[in-house]
Amino acid sequence: METASGASGSAGQAMRVQPVTGATASGGAALPAARAVQAAQQGQPSVSLAASQGLPEVVTVSALRRPVRAEDVGSSVTVVTDEQIAIQQRRTLPDILARQPGLNVVRSGGFGGTTSIFMRGANANDVKVRIDGMDVNDGSSASNAFDAGQFVTDGIGSIEILRGPQSGLYGADAMAGVIDINTKAGEGRFKPFARIEGGSYGTFNQALGASGRAGRFHYNVALSHYRIDGFHEIPRYIENENEANRAQRRAGDRNDNRSANVKLGYDVTRTFDLGLTARLIQANYHTFTSYDEMYTPYNGTQLLRDQNTQNEAVVRGTAHLSSFGGRFDQVLGLGYMTNRRRYMQDGLYADGSPAMTDPDYYRSTRLKVDWHGTLDLRKYGTVLVGAEHFHDSINVSTDDPTEPVHTSAGMDTTAGYGQYEGNWNRILYGAANVRYDANSRYGNHVTWRVAPAIHVPHTGTILKASAGSGFHAPSLYQLFVDQRGAGWGEVGNPALKAETMIGYDVGVEQKLLHDKLRFGATWYDNKVRNLIQSTGSLVASDGAYQYLYSYGNTGHARMYGVEAFLDWKALETLSFALNYTWTHARDTENHALLQRRPQHKFNFNTTWSPVKDFTLSGNILYTSGWRDYPLVGENFCPTCAKGHGYFTIDLAATYKINRYLSVFARADNLLNRQYENPVGYLQPGRAGYGGITLNY
């Protein structure tokens, strides 16, 4: 299954970017090996228009760790390009991911709030996220999930969403799938740009950068500053329940985000090049949440606010060598990631004493060394082999003046993998891979995946299937954390086992109208064992009882559903894309629905260029209800609350006045739907934004 919503326009003509789905190709790849690999490393999906001028053909890299035509890949994958992001004016990663099939994005409030990505009904920490080949799931969090809350889209060249168990190539935490983010490389002459944007909720954003090539050196640098101030996230019914005062009903969130995205490359020879990428984030997020408001009886008219500070750096260097006329390609990489978060509160209690003045710190680091090589056997297919080594560490400091706690831990992972792919008469394409991971904390795991695709001759019909295994490793936090508070405590469980999954999918894709119309559907079914869940018990401590939290392998789950898509290039200047996802996710131990998994999701996008240099984009997103944690009442089971379904309508317009100046405007949630996602956290209502972009 597949689908990428959105389009790209050039010279007044809208050009649809193909939604993708996947399996494997060898000799049938559309590009020569050397150029295809280089394009992949540059974060630019290769696109070539057929003579029919139908929907563009997109090359995916993540499905097989090398460039192949998306239609030759049995796995389910979506490719989102920088053109789509720009036309839809999606400034943050959660905004663009929320529109993609198979994903449910949950954000606690507005821009900057903690954001979870659920794929095919699995937990958010079952999705591995990579930036330019570096794994960036946050080891300082309890679950090791990737938090997209502060991630902006400036500098992104492509986003590949690979669905289904992918541990056979990507190891731990790729149990539900992989999101591969690639920075765009610079090409051509020196091209600077600057963008200024303002609008609702005190929004004031600035971005500037430059890209290009000077001889053998190419570069792309994007710097941005995003700010909101005044977004109120607490629903009215919770304010009434908490008897909120006037000041609390007016309190708003504030987020200040500074980001840098850099990609540098140097072509030493025609067959050997070096690359360096870096993404830096510094963010300050001040919130007033429902949990802060619950303390109203104790604080009187005082306001308690949460302060969250994040400093994140992701850096990776690569050396790429193509040998024997492009028949053997290899890449050596060295990456480093560090994430530092600080949490505290400001404000006064009713008695005048200060709130939490000593902050909690959550720090993580990751060092990765990797190598992989691809041998092209021509008509006999390709063979891929690779190896990786990770060192992860965390440091959690709870600086409570009465009982400070510090937890430090680390672990090492060494892995090797191999893959064969090939095709028979360009009718039957197939790939099979296997991987071995050895971890110093949770043991060893072998995972695998097979993915065939059949092109039915002269019909435009493609049959796809895949099956594989995956595992999600317990985080260092879950294994070793040790925290204490008044009447409560949290301890790790070093005996935790990894979660495991077996999953498969089958689908069909059809091309019609000289490849101007494509549609298809995929059925998937995943079964999970050894779910890691929070546990709790009352224990006696110094003559009093304390509620002690921990973690255990306590459950099994099954997730199945359907993903469907349709893409139609109706005119050279008009295109449509829609996708639908049906998800059923249930705990098979107690038959309860898993929280924050809506059963139905529908997204429709259209792009129209009625006149030269003017582009309109419209989007409708519908999400059905779901089960969730309640924020009011006495029942605190995981699924006691019901999240209400919602739909939003967004519009965006861009006009290129001349080669140097463009103006843009967009309206989000045009009908001003008041909705929560998750329960207890309002999402932005009707909002308008506009600005200018200067290019040279």
Side-chain angles (χ1 to χ4, degrees):
M1 148 69 217
E2 47 297 302
T3 163
S5 60
S8 65
S10 176
Q13 293 187 341
M15 184 173 68
R16 275 289 299 127
V17 177
Q18 174 190 354
V20 186
T21 144
T24 162
S26 77
L31 296 177
R35 288 193 61 191
V37 171
Q38 184 179 25
Q41 291 174 335
Q42 292 173 351
Q44 297 169 325
S46 306
V47 178
S48 61
L49 282 175
S52 65
Q53 292 295 301
L55 292 167
E57 179 180 273
V58 170
V59 170
T60 175
V61 181
S62 62
L64 300 175
R65 280 189 181 259
R66 82 174 192 91
V68 294
R69 294 191 308 169
E71 63 182 23
D72 299 337
V73 182
S75 299
S76 175
V77 57
T78 296
V79 175
V80 183
T81 68
D82 58 331
E83 290 89 352
Q84 293 172 270
I85 296 172
I87 285 180
Q88 297 177 35
Q89 299 180 31
R90 296 298 101 191
R91 306 302 184 208
T92 69
L93 184 62
D95 286 342
I96 197 69
L97 293 181
R99 302 176 175 209
Q100 309 310 317
L103 300 184
N104 182 44
V105 177
V106 176
R107 181 172 62 188
S108 59
F111 172 45
T114 301
T115 303
S116 301
I117 305 166
F118 297 86
M119 184 181 292
R120 285 189 167 178
N123 288 335
N125 55 10
D126 295 334
V127 180
K128 170 163 282 191
V129 180
R130 306 189 335 142
I131 300 175
D132 295 313
M134 183 62 189
D135 311 66
V136 295
N137 286 44
D138 184 8
S140 68
S141 68
S143 65
N144 199 38
F146 171 71
D147 180 2
Q150 296 287 357
F151 203 101
V152 300
T153 57
D154 293 310
I156 290 179
S158 67
I159 304 170
E160 297 196 25
I161 304 165
L162 182 60
R163 293 179 287 274
Q166 304 295 335
S167 294
L169 275 184
Y170 294 101
D173 306 327
M175 194 165 77
V178 174
I179 297 176
D180 221 359
I181 301 169
N182 299 291
T183 302
K184 187 175 182 179
E187 286 294 336
R189 64 172 179 82
F190 172 65
K191 298 184 286 291
F193 83 94
R195 185 181 70 237
I196 299 177
E197 177 180 74
S200 303
Y201 304 114
T203 296
F204 184 50
N205 304 331
Q206 313 94 48
L208 60 89
S211 65
R213 174 182 283 270
R216 297 182 177 182
F217 177 67
H218 49 91
Y219 54 90
N220 183 20
V221 179
L223 309 176
S224 63
H225 172 228
Y226 283 46
R227 189 202 72 180
I228 67 166
D229 191 357
F231 173 68
H232 185 71
E233 67 175 58
I234 306 176
R236 181 64 59 86
Y237 71 92
I238 293 181
E239 292 178 331
N240 295 337
E241 177 79 13
N242 294 329
E243 300 178 358
N245 57 48
R246 180 180 177 85
Q248 292 168 333
R249 293 178 185 270
R250 292 176 172 269
D253 299 345
R254 181 172 70 253
N255 187 50
D256 195 81
N257 176 295
R258 295 173 174 85
S259 298
N261 200 17
V262 179
K263 187 161 196 170
L264 309 176
Y266 185 76
D267 300 331
V268 181
T269 68
R270 293 183 61 185
T271 59
F272 179 60
D273 58 85
L274 302 174
L276 177 67
T277 61
R279 178 171 283 269
L280 311 175
I281 299 174
Q282 195 283 323
N284 295 289
Y285 187 44
H286 298 251
T287 63
F288 182 72
T289 70
S290 299
Y291 290 100
D292 299 320
E293 196 178 74
M294 288 179 185
Y295 289 95
T296 298
Y298 311 103
N299 301 334
T301 60
Q302 302 294 333
L303 289 180
L304 291 183
R305 290 182 180 273
D306 295 335
Q307 294 187 24
N308 295 274
T309 301
Q310 177 182 355
N311 292 275
E312 180 176 348
V314 181
V315 182
R316 186 169 189 259
T318 58
H320 164 238
L321 175 65
S322 180
S323 308
F324 308 109
R327 296 192 66 175
F328 184 61
D329 259 279
Q330 53 184 322
V331 177
L332 177 66
L334 176 63
Y336 177 76
M337 172 189 174
T338 182
N339 202 346
R340 297 172 179 253
R341 300 176 184 267
R342 186 188 71 169
Y343 167 78
M344 63 179 297
Q345 289 181 323
D346 65 355
L348 300 174
Y349 294 118
D351 61 5
S353 61
M356 179 182 172
T357 56
D358 295 298
D360 291 347
Y361 291 96
Y362 301 86
R363 307 178 181 94
S364 68
T365 62
R366 175 174 297 124
L367 179 67
K368 175 186 178 182
V369 181
D370 64 279
W371 171 87
H372 71 264
T374 304
L375 177 62
D376 188 351
L377 302 176
R378 303 304 190 202
K379 65 179 181 179
Y380 299 106
T382 63
V383 174
L384 169 72
V385 293
E388 299 175 341
H389 178 79
F390 298 86
H391 176 73
D392 292 273
S393 65
I394 66 164
N395 184 288
V396 178
S397 302
T398 306
D399 292 330
D400 189 320
T402 60
E403 194 172 358
V405 175
H406 303 278
T407 301
S408 296
M411 65 182 177
D412 291 275
T413 305
T414 301
Y417 56 89
Q419 175 178 266
Y420 173 78
E421 57 165 314
N423 75 79
W424 177 74
N425 288 335
R426 299 188 180 180
I427 295 176
L428 173 61
Y429 293 81
N433 56 58
V434 63
R435 176 173 171 132
Y436 176 78
D437 286 79
N439 182 272
S440 60
R441 297 293 189 181
Y442 55 80
N444 307 328
H445 288 269
V446 176
T447 49
W448 56 272
R449 185 170 181 82
V450 293
I454 300 174
H455 291 237
V456 181
H458 313 299
T459 65
T461 303
I462 305 173
L463 306 177
K464 296 172 178 275
S466 69
S469 63
F471 76 100
H472 165 67
S475 68
L476 285 170
Y477 187 99
Q478 292 168 335
L479 290 168
F480 300 110
V481 69
D482 187 357
Q483 298 190 73
R484 295 291 190 276
W488 70 278
E490 186 177 18
V491 296
N493 179 3
L496 280 176
K497 300 177 182 179
E499 299 177 356
T500 59
M501 173 188 284
I502 295 291
Y504 71 88
D505 54 43
V506 292
V508 60
E509 179 180 332
Q510 182 66 52
K511 304 178 187 178
L512 295 173
L513 303 179
H514 303 289
D515 205 14
K516 294 183 179 181
L517 175 65
R518 296 179 187 172
F519 57 90
T522 296
W523 165 271
Y524 67 87
D525 195 336
N526 299 321
K527 295 180 180 179
V528 182
R529 298 174 59 88
N530 295 327
L531 280 175
I532 298 174
Q533 297 180 349
S534 178
T535 62
S537 60
L538 280 173
V539 298
S541 176
D542 297 329
Y545 283 97
Q546 184 181 55
Y547 206 86
L548 196 63
Y549 297 92
S550 188
Y551 300 90
N553 297 105
T554 60
H556 300 74
R558 183 185 179 196
M559 294 80 71
Y560 57 88
V562 174
E563 297 159 347
F565 78 98
L566 183 148
D567 287 279
W568 181 30
K569 185 178 180 181
L571 302 170
E572 289 300 313
T573 58
L574 178 64
S575 60
F576 303 94
L578 62 88
N579 63 73
Y580 167 74
T581 303
W582 176 70
T583 303
H584 185 86
R586 187 178 294 272
D587 186 327
T588 55
E589 297 282 319
N590 56 22
H591 305 289
L593 292 172
L594 299 182
Q595 65 270 27
R596 299 178 180 176
R597 275 79 156 180
Q599 193 169 33
H600 304 281
K601 177 185 161 187
F602 172 86
N603 191 82
F604 172 78
N605 180 268
T606 183
T607 300
W608 183 36
S609 295
V611 297
K612 184 179 179 180
D613 297 327
F614 180 59
T615 303
L616 288 170
S617 175
N619 199 89
I620 299 175
L621 173 65
Y622 167 75
T623 300
S624 67
W626 66 93
R627 291 293 178 180
D628 210 335
Y629 297 95
L631 266 69
V632 298
E634 298 180 356
N635 296 319
F636 286 92
C637 68
T639 57
C640 292
K642 176 71 184 302
H644 297 288
Y646 61 90
F647 77 92
T648 60
I649 299 176
D650 305 326
L651 297 176
T654 304
Y655 180 61
K656 186 177 180 180
I657 297 176
N658 53 46
R659 59 173 296 189
Y660 305 109
L661 177 64
S662 299
V663 295
F664 60 86
R666 75 177 184 276
D668 290 345
N669 196 358
L670 196 61
L671 301 182
N672 198 30
R673 298 293 182 181
Q674 300 298 298
Y675 68 99
E676 308 164 45
N677 189 12
V679 167
Y681 295 88
L682 279 175
Q683 299 301 302
R686 183 187 297 117
Y689 307 91
I692 62 172
T693 302
L694 298 174
N695 294 281
Y696 175 72

